[in-house]
Amino acid sequence: MTDDTIGGRGVNAPDVVRRDLSTEALLTVRDLRVEFGKKGQRPTTAVDEVTFEIRRGEHLGIVGESGSGKSVTSLAIMGLLPATGVRVSGQIMFDGEDLLAASEKRMRDVRGRDIAMIFQDPMTSLNPVVTIGTQISEVIRGHRDMGKAEANERAVELLRKVAMPDPGRRMKEYPHQLSGGMRQRVLIAIALANEPQLLIADEPTTALDVTIQAQILEILKQVVADTGTALIMITHDLGVVAGLCDSVHVMYQGRVVESAQRRPLFAEPRHPYTGGLLASVPRLDSPRGQPLKPIPGSPTDVLPWTQGCAFTPRCANRIDTCTEKTPALKIEGQRALRCFNPLTLSSAGGATP
Amino acid sequence: AESSRDSGGGGDDDTTSPSDGADPSAGASGGTFIFAGSADPVTLDPFFASDGESFRPARQIFEGLVGTEPGTADPAPLLATEWETSEDGLSNTFQLQDGVTFHDGADFNGTAACWNFDRWYNTPPGVGQTEDQAYYWISLFKGFAKGELTDSVYESCTVDSETEITVKLTEPFAGFVAALSLPAFSMQSPDAIEQYGATGQDDPSQSAYATEHPTGTGPFVFESWVKEDQIVLTRNDDYWGEPALLEQVQIVPIAEPKARADALLAGEIDGFDLVGPADIPRLEDEGYQILNRPAFNVLYLGFNQAVKPLDDILVRQAIAHAIDKDAVISASMPEGTAPALEFVPETVEGYTEDVPTYEFDPEKAKDLLAEAGAEDLELEFNYPTDVTRPYMPSPGDTFNAIRSQLEAVGITVKPSADVWDPDYLDKISGSKDHGIHLLGWTGDYNDTDNFLGVFFGRKSSEWGFDNPELFQALNDARGLPTVEEQIPVYEEINRQVMEFLPGIPLASPVPSLGFAPNVKGYVPSPVQDEPWNLVSVEE
Amino acid sequence: MTERRRETAEEASSKPDSTNDQLLVVRGLKVHFPIKHGILFDRTVGAVQAVDGVDLDVPRGRTFGLVGESGCGKSTLGRAILRLVEPTAGNVRFDGVDVASLQGEKLRSMRRRMQMVFQDPLASLNPRQSVETIISEPLRAHGIEYSKKNRVREVLDLVGLPASAATRFPHEFSGGQRQRIGIARAVALEPELIIADEPVSALDVSIQAQIINLLEELQERLGLTYLVIAHDLAVVRHISEEIAVMYLGGIVEQTDSEQLYLTPRHPYTIALMSAVPVPDPAIEDHRQRILLSGDLPSPANPPSGCRFHTRCPYRQETRCDTERPELRLISPGHRVACHYAEEIVAGTVTPKVDAALPV
Amino acid sequence: MTMAPPLMSPSDPMLGVDPEHGTSLWRGAWRRLRRNPVAILGALLVLAFVLIAVFASALAPYAANSREWASEVTLTSVPGPREGNLLGIDRYGSDLYSQLLYGARQSLIIGVVSTLLGLVVGAMLGILAGGLGAKVDMVVMRIVDILLSIPSLLLAVSIVAVLGQNRYAVMIAIASAQVPVFARLLRGTMLSQARSDYVLAATSLGLRRRTIVMGHVLPNSLGPTIVQATLNLSTAVIEVAALSFLGLGESDPAVAEWGRMLVAAQDRFASSPQLALWPGLAIAVSALGFTLLGEALREALDPKGRR
Amino acid sequence: MLRFVVRRLALMVPVLVGLSILLFVWIRALPGEPARSMLGQRATPEAIERINNLYGFNDPVLQQYFTYVGRLIRGDFGESTRNGDPVVSTFFDQFPATIELSFAALLFAIVLGIPLGYWAGRRVGGWLDNVIVSTSLLGVVTPVFFLAILLKLVFAEYLDWFPTSRRSDARIEATHITNFYVLDGLITREWDAAWDAIVHLILPGIALGTIPLAIIVRITRAAVADVMGEDYVRTAYSKGLDPAIIRNRHVMRNALLPVVTTIGLQTGLLLSGAVLTESVFEIGGIGRYLFEAISQRDYPVLQAYILFIALIFSIVNLLVDVSYGVIDPRVRVS
Ligand SMILES: Nc1ncnc2c1ncn2[C@@H]1O[C@H](COP(=O)(O)OP(=O)(O)OP(=O)(O)O)[C@@H](O)[C@H]1O
Ligand SMILES: Nc1ncnc2c1ncn2[C@@H]1O[C@H](COP(=O)(O)OP(=O)(O)OP(=O)(O)O)[C@@H](O)[C@H]1O
Ligand SMILES: [Mg+2]
Ligand SMILES: [Mg+2]
C-alpha cells in the first residue's frame, strides 16, 4: 500500500472488479440454525435458515438491525457460542471441513489462524491488564512456532501495517493508553496476525466517530486487499456496506430476507424491510425537507417466523398471505428474496442516484 | 520445722496431698517440667508484684527469710533459721542461714538481708509507691522513708553479724513474721538490682532486672522470658538446700481452665493450676492426678445494707435460712468443698466452730420474711461473669443455684452480671448501686486480719453498714503483739460477725492442681508456697 | 490585516443579535472542569476545557443543529445552557433573561421553559416511576394545574403512545417508545426550547426516523425551538435549519444547513462531510475522501493556535499553530473559524498529500 | 407526516415482549426470587426462624428459663435426651429444647432491632453524605473512615463496655458496627445514581433538590442497602453470640440466648457436647437463612443477574 | 504512584488524629476506673485516689489529652495500667503472633478460595458451583469461635493431630529473634521449631480463615463470572489461544482485581476474628490483649493499640491499592 491512499486526501477509484474472486467457495454456511434455551424454558431461535457462501477475497456484508442475529451467525462460524444452552444445527463448511463437527481443539487451531474476527467495541475487546504487544504476539505464538523476539518483531510490523504511529512504543503500552481508533487498529492487527483466509468484522466501526470510522475502514480495506483475505462485514450502517461489499445479505429476526450484489440491492431493494431501511435513514446528500419514511413499529413487534413473515406487523406491503404462510428464500437470478409481496421498482423508496 | 527445701521430703505432718510421690529418690533426676498458669506474670521482681502468677516463678527463683510449713500456711524457717520477737513486739532478731549465695554468686548475709529491707523502705516516691506496685509493703508496713505515705510500721534493719539481723518496727505487728513468708519480701541480690534495677521508665516493675535478670537464692535460676509465651528456669546447681531434681522448668500461660486441661490431656504440659471443676472427672478418668490445695479462701454472699430491707436482720436471716449450701456446692464447686461456717477458712487462726449457724429451712425463711414484712422481696443479685477465682470457680452456676433457692422462698431475683475487672469490683466496692452479691477472698498468709480486717475493718460500700464496735474490735485485735493473744479475740469477733450476719459465708472451695500421671513430688500449699525442687517427671 | 480581522469579529458577534428574534443567545461560554491534584489539599492544576468560548444564537421557532465528534463538548455546552453544569465564563440569555444570574426558585421556574431530551432514553427515566408519574411529576413540581388523567393522556397521545402506557414502567418499552416517553416528559411542561442531546443515536436505525419525524411534528404543532446535538451529520443536516460544527470545545463553522452541505468552508467540516458514508454504491464508489490523521486531542491539553491544526490537511506554516482563529463571517450567514478559509475556497491553499498516515 | 405508526396496536403495544419485562423492578426481582430454589430455601429457613421466635411460648413444652431440673445438674453431668426432654436439660436446669425455641426470639429481636438501628442511622449518614454535597460528604465520610478503621467486634465490645451489660447495649453495639457499612454503601450508590441521566433529567425539569434526593436518588439506591441489611441480619445473629462468648451481653446466664447457651456449654464440651451443638447449629442455620435470602435478593436485584 | 502513596499517607493523618481524639473521649467515657483494675479486689478508696492523682486520671479530659499528645510527640505511648509494660514494646511483642495467625488464615483462604472461586465462576449455576457456593456459605454462617472450638475438639483433642493451644510446643527449643515463630525457626535453622510453629498455626488459621475463605470464594466466583462475559475474553477465545493462557492471562488477571481489594478489606474482619481465635487457642496476640484492655480500662493500651490497628488497617488498604496498581495498569498512570 502506498501512503497517499490512506493519509491526507485519498481517492478511491471506481473499481467494480477490484478483486480476483475465485469461484470456489471458502466458506459455505448452509441452513444454520441457532437456538438459545435454558433448561425448562422455551427455546428462542436467534438464527434460522441462514445460508450463504463466501469466496476467497470476497467481501460480504450482513446488514440488519439490533437483534437480527448477525453476531450470533458470526459467533457460530467461530464456534464461540456459549457451551451450554445453545443448539446449533446446519452446516458450516470451511475449506471443505464442517466446523460444526470439528472438535474444540481443532477449532482452536482454526480460530485466529484461518478465521479471525474483529469485534464491535474496541474499548472492551482488549484485555485492559495485558500490554498491546503481548496481546498481538500471543496470537502469533499460539499458532506458529515462533520465538518471543521474532513474534514481537512481527507484531511491530503488523502495527505498522495498520498505520499505528510509533509501533515500537505501543507494544509496551496498555489498551487504556490508546484511543478508540487506535485500539481498533490493534484489534485489526491481532485479527490479521496469521494472515487468515477469512476475516469476520462485527460492526468494527459502530463505536467510532465518523472521521475515525473512515480511517479504520480504509485501513481494513487496505490490509484485506493486501492479504487477499475474504471479509464478512457485519453492520447496521448501510453506508458502510455500500462502499465496501461485493454482496449483501439483509437479515431480519434471524433470517436472511434479501441478498444481492450491492449495486442492484441499493438501486432496487425488493424486500419491504430493505426498502424501509433505505428510506428511513437520513442521507447527507438528500436535499433538506425531504421527509423520512420510517419503518413503523419497533423491532419488538414481530411475528414468529413460524406464523408467517416476521416483518408483517411493520410491513406496509403486507398482504393476507404474509400471516398465513412462512415465506421461503427464493432465488431470482442474482438475488434471493424472502417475501410474498416484494416492492416493485417504482415503489422502492431507496436509492436515488 | 524443716522446710521442704531441705532434704527430707514432704514435711512432717502428712499433707493433704494425695500425691505420695514425695520420695525424691524415686524421682528421676533431670528432665523438663512444664507447668501452666492462668496468665503471664506482670513482673519478675516480686516486691513490685501482688498477683499469683508473678509469684509463681518468684517462688522458684527467690526465697524469703521465712517460709511456710509444707502444706500449711504456718511460718517456717527458710533463709532465716530462727527468729525471736521482743516482748513489746517491736523488735525481731533473725538468725540467717549460712553459706547461701545468690544466683549471681554474691553471698547472702546480714548485709544483703538488711539491704533488701532498706530497699523496700526506701522505694522512691512515685509509681513504685502505689498499691498497684508495692501492694504488700503498703498494706502491711503502711509507709516509706519518703513520699506521701510516711507513717511506716517499719523502722530499721541492723546487721548484727553476717548471720544475724534485727528488724525494728514502730508499732506491734503480730503478723510480721508470717507476713515475711510472702514472696513480695523475698531476698533479692543487691548486686543484680544495682546493676540492672535502674529504669528508664518510671515504673520499677519493668526494669531490666525485673524482666531479664531476677536474681535470688532459690532452687531455680532464671533463664528466659518470652512474654505471653513462656518463662524458662534452670536448676540452681549451687542451691544451698536440696538441689532440684529437674533440669529445667517452664511456666506457660493458658488463660482458660478448659484449655489448660486440654493441653495437659494432649501431653503439651505436665501440670497446671486452677483446674476447672468440670474438668476434674475428665482428668481423673484418664488417670491424671488432681491435687487439692488446702482451702485458704472463703466465698460469701454479701448483703448491701444500704439497700432496704437488707438492713433488717430478719431479712438477712431469712436469706441465710433459704440457702442450701450443700446444693450450691454440688452445683458449682469441686468435690470435697466444705460449706463455710464463718468468714475465715478453717486453717486460719481464730477459726472457731462455735458461731451462730443458720440451717437450710425454707419454711423458716418464709416466716422470717413475713415477720419482717418483706414477703414480696425483690433483690438485685450481682455476680461477675467471665472470671474464675479459686473461691469462685463457676460464678454463673453458683448464682444460678442460689437464685433458684431464693426464688423457692418467694424472693424475686433480678440478675445483674458484670465483667469482673473493673466493672464488677467497681460496682460492689466502689458504689452503693448493688444488692446481694457474690464475692470472696483468698488469704495471702496466715493472718486473721487478712480476712476479717479486709472485709469488715472499716465502713465500706460493699456492705453498706456502719458498725463502729466491730471496726474498733478489729482495729484493737490487729494491734495485739502476738498471735497467741489474738486468737481468742478473733474467735469472739467471728461469733459477733455471724450474729450480725453481714453476709453468708458459703464455702471454701478447694483449688485443684492437675498433673500428668508421671509427675511426682508436688506438694500443694494453701498459700501456694510450692517450690519445685522436689518435683520430678518420670520418663 | 489584523485591523480587518477585528472588524469582522465585531461584525460577527453584533450582527445576529440585531436580526430577527433570538430565543437563545450564548456569548463566550466556557466550561472548564478543574483537574485537581494535591498531596493534602486539592489544588487545581489544570482544566478540561470542555467548552471554550462558544457564541451561539438560536432563533425562535427554528431548529439549530450542533454537530461534532465525541468528546468535543457538545453535551457540556447543552448542559451549560440549561445550567445543569455551571459555566466557567460567558453568559447565556434566554428570551432576554440572563440564565446565569438566576438562583433558586427563579432558576427552577425558568427551567420549565427550557427542556432537555437525552441520548439514552432508559437511563434518563427513573426506573421506579410509572410513565404517568414521570410525566406528571414536573407538572406538580411547577404547580401547574392539570387534570391528571387528561393531561397525561394528552401528552402521550401527542408523542404517539397509547393511553395504556401510563401505568407502565420504562423498562417495559422498546427503545423508541422510551424516547417518546422522554420527549413526552419534556413537552408536558410546554417549554419554548428543547435541547435534544443525541436524541436518536442510541436507537435502532429503523426507529431513528420515527423519532426525527416526531420531533419535527411537535415543532410544527407546538412552535418549539430546538437545539439538536448529534454526532451524525446526516441526522443534523436533516432536521436543522442552522448548523454549527464544533471541534474541541469551540465552534468552527456555522451556517444554514444547505450552505454547509454545498460549501463547507472549514477544513474540519470538509473532512467530516467526506467521511460520512452514503448508502449508495454509486456515490460511494466515486467519492473523494479526505482522511484526517489522528484522534481528537485531549481537551485538557488542547493544541495551541487553531485547535484543529494537528489534524488539518490544509495546515500552513504560519498562524495555524500560534493564533486561534475567531469565528468570522465570510459570507452572509456563514461563519468560519479558519485563517485560510478564503484561500481554501480560492484553491491557493491545498491539502497536503504527503501528510502522514492516519495517526 | 404520519407519526402514529400504522400497525402499532393502540390497545397494547407491548405484545409478546420478553417475559422478563413484567412490571416494576421489584416485581421483576420478586419473580426471579420465586424461581430461585436458593431463595426459597433461605426464605423457608427465615420463616421457620421467625415463626419459632413468635410462637416460642406455644411451641415450647416448658416455660422459658424454668430451671425445673436444676437439682439434677451437677458440675460434671447434665441429663441428656430423655422422655419429656427431647434434647435433654441445659446446664442451668431448663429444658434444652424449650430454651432453644425461646432462644430464637432473643436472636431475632436482637438481630432485627440492631440491624434496623444500624440501617436507619447508617442510612441517615449515607443520605447526608450522598445528598448534601461535598463538604458534608467529606465530614461524614471521615467519621465513617474512623469507625471503619476499628475492627467491628472491638467497636462493639467497647460500646458494651460503656453501656453496660444488657440486651440494649448489645443491640446498640452491633448496630454501631453496622452504621459505617450502611452509610458507606448507601452513599456510594447514591453518588453513582446521582450521576445518572435521570437525575440530570429531574434537575432539568426543575424539581426541587430534596425531591430529587429523596424521590429519585434514594429509592433507586436502596436495593444494595436492603440486600446488605438482609446479610447483616445473619452477621448480627453471629455477633450476638460472639459478644456472649466474650462474656458480654444478656446478664442472666440462664436466659435462653443461643450465643450464651453455646458459650456456657463450652466447659462441658467433652461430657455434654449436645449443650453446645444445638445452639451452635441454631445460630448457623438461622444465619444461613438470612444469608441465602440476602444472596438471592442480591442476585435478583442485580441487573447483571438477569441473564 | 509515589505521589499517590504520599497523598494517601497524608490523608491518613486527619483520620488518625480524629480517631485519637474520639478514642480519648470515648475511653474516658467508659464507666469504671483503671485504678480499680490496677489495684485489684480490695482497693481502698484512698489508694484509688492516689493512683488517680498520680496518673492524672482526675484531670480535665482536655488537659489529659494534651498531656497525652505531648507524650505522643515524644514517641511515648505510655505504659499499660494493668502491668506497667510499655505499650509499644508489648505491641511489638504480641503483634507478630497476630500477624502470623492472620497470615496463616489469609493463606488458607487465598490458596483455597481463589481456585474454588474460579471453578465455581466458570460455570455459574453448574453443580460444582452449587457445591462450592453452598459449602462456602456454611463457612460464613458458622461463628468463628464455634468453629474454632469444634476444630479443636475434633482435630486436637479427639484425633490428636494438632496441638490444642498456644503458638509453640514448650518442649521444643526455639530461639526467638523476630517473634514470628515460623520465621525465627527458619532464620535460626531450628527446623523443628519452625515446623512446630507451623503446626500450631494450622487449626487457628483454618478457624480464622474460613470466613475470609468464603468471602474470597464468592468474590472470585462473581469476578470470574463477570470476566468470562467480557469482550476481551471473547477476543482471547477468538484468537484460538491455549486454554491455560486464557485462564491465567485473560480471565484470572482481571478477576483478581476485586479479589485483591477484598483481601485488603479482610483485615478488619481478621482482627475481629483474631480476638476470638486467640482466646480459643490461647495465642498471646494483640486481639485477646486488646479485648482485655477494653474490659479492664487499660487506657494507654487501648489508645495506642486501636491507633496502631487503624494505622495498619490503612496501610494494608494502601498496599492493596498499590498492588491494584501493579495488577491494573489503568490505575498506574493517574
Ligand atoms: N447467549 C445468548 N443467550 C440467549 N439469547 C441470545 C444470546 N446471544 C444472542 N441471543 C439472542 O439472539 C438474537 C440475535 O442476537 P445477535 O447478537 O446476533 O444480534 P445482532 O444482530 O448482532 O444485534 P446487534 O446489532 O445489537 O449486535 C437476539 O434476540 C439475542 O437476544
Ligand atoms: N463532569 C465532568 N468532569 C470532567 N470532565 C468532563 C465532565 N463532563 C465532561 N467532561 C469532559 O469534557 C469533554 C467534553 O465532554 P462532552 O460530554 O461535552 O462531549 P460530547 O461532545 O457530548 O461527547 P459525546 O459525543 O461522547 O457525548 C470530554 O473530554 C469529557 O471527558
Ligand atoms: Mg451484534
Ligand atoms: Mg454527549
Side-chain angles (χ1 to χ4, degrees), chain B residues 199-341:
Chain B
T199 48
Q201 244 87 33
D202 40 4
D203 183 344
S205 72
Q206 300 302 320
S207 66
Y209 173 79
T211 54
E212 289 158 37
H213 302 280
T215 311
T217 60
F220 290 95
V221 180
F222 174 82
E223 163 122 3
S224 69
W225 180 15
V226 179
K227 287 213 170 158
E228 298 287 331
D229 192 19
Q230 65 190 118
I231 291 178
V232 180
L233 311 176
T234 48
R235 173 164 59 201
N236 176 8
D237 289 321
D238 301 326
Y239 186 49
W240 62 274
E242 184 71 22
L245 299 169
L246 296 160
E247 190 75 42
Q248 191 184 66
V249 298
Q250 298 189 8
I251 301 169
V252 299
I254 301 180
E256 291 297 319
K258 179 167 179 297
R260 291 194 289 273
D262 292 339
L264 180 64
L265 283 167
E268 291 156 24
I269 55 174
D270 298 308
F272 70 97
D273 203 348
L274 296 173
V275 182
D279 294 318
I280 292 177
R282 192 154 72 102
L283 291 167
E284 279 177 336
D285 290 350
E286 300 278 329
Y288 287 77
Q289 312 174 59
I290 301 293
L291 303 192
N292 291 332
R293 288 206 180 93
F296 199 60
N297 61 34
V298 64
L299 168 69
Y300 59 78
L301 178 69
F303 301 138
N304 177 12
Q305 296 192 26
V307 172
K308 297 219 177 310
L310 287 174
D311 55 341
D312 186 341
I313 181 72
L314 291 179
V315 174
R316 302 204 294 273
Q317 286 171 349
I319 296 175
H321 283 295
I323 290 175
D324 179 359
K325 292 182 189 172
D326 292 320
V328 173
I329 289 167
S330 87
S332 65
M333 277 165 245
E335 241 173 282
T337 299
L341 285 182

Side-chain angles (χ1 to χ4, degrees), chain B residues 385-468:
Chain B
T385 53
D386 202 41
V387 71
T388 54
R389 304 255 113 191
Y391 53 81
M392 193 159 54
S394 180
D397 289 313
T398 309
F399 159 79
N400 198 54
I402 297 177
R403 176 199 11 209
S404 297
Q405 295 167 4
L406 294 182
E407 282 175 351
V409 299
I411 299 173
T412 313
V413 171
K414 210 171 124 251
S416 166
D418 284 290
V419 172
W420 170 252
D421 184 9
D423 303 35
Y424 185 71
L425 293 177
D426 247 354
K427 197 180 245 181
I428 302 305
S429 333
S431 83
K432 291 187 167 55
D433 180 26
H434 54 102
I436 58 177
H437 62 271
L438 289 179
L439 205 58
W441 183 246
T442 300
D444 301 309
Y445 60 101
N446 196 346
D447 179 14
T448 327
D449 189 54
N450 190 233
F451 285 87
L452 293 177
V454 165
F455 300 151
F456 309 119
R458 51 162 77 207
K459 191 171 185 301
S460 80
S461 49
E462 178 183 356
W463 306 103
F465 65 79
D466 190 9
N467 189 340

Side-chain angles (χ1 to χ4, degrees), chain C residues 246-293:
Chain C
M246 200 169 170
Y247 186 81
L248 205 60
I251 293 196
V252 294
E253 182 161 6
Q254 180 184 339
T255 182
D256 71 74
S257 172
E258 218 45 45
Q259 191 117 70
L260 189 80
Y261 175 66
L262 294 173
T263 54
R265 288 289 180 250
H266 195 281
Y268 176 63
T269 319
I270 297 170
L272 196 62
M273 213 69 98
S274 85
V276 179
V278 174
D280 189 339
I283 293 179
E284 278 294 306
D285 287 347
H286 295 277
R287 256 158 67 114
Q288 293 222 332
R289 190 153 281 172
I290 294 182
L291 289 177
L292 292 180
S293 54

Side-chain angles (χ1 to χ4, degrees), chain A residues 75 78 80 83 108 111-112 119 121 124-130 134-135 138-139 143 174 176 187 190, chain E residues 123 230-232 234-235 237-243 245 249-250 253-254 257 327-330 332-333:
Chain A
L75 291 175
M78 293 292 285
L80 285 178
R108 274 211 299 278
R111 287 197 287 258
F119 296 98
D121 192 350
T124 57
S125 292
L126 285 170
N127 187 340
V129 302
V130 175
T134 311
Q135 298 197 50
E138 70 178 0
V139 66
H143 294 284
Y174 290 91
H176 70 273
L187 283 164
I190 290 172
Chain E
R123 286 270 157 78
E230 290 287 348
D231 286 350
Y232 53 78
R234 196 179 54 185
T235 307
Y237 276 107
S238 81
K239 293 166 160 183
L241 298 178
D242 185 342
I245 291 188
R249 189 180 289 162
H250 295 282
R253 228 195 267 181
N254 283 286
L257 294 176
I327 320 179
D328 190 348
R330 283 166 296 187
R332 238 178 269 165
V333 272

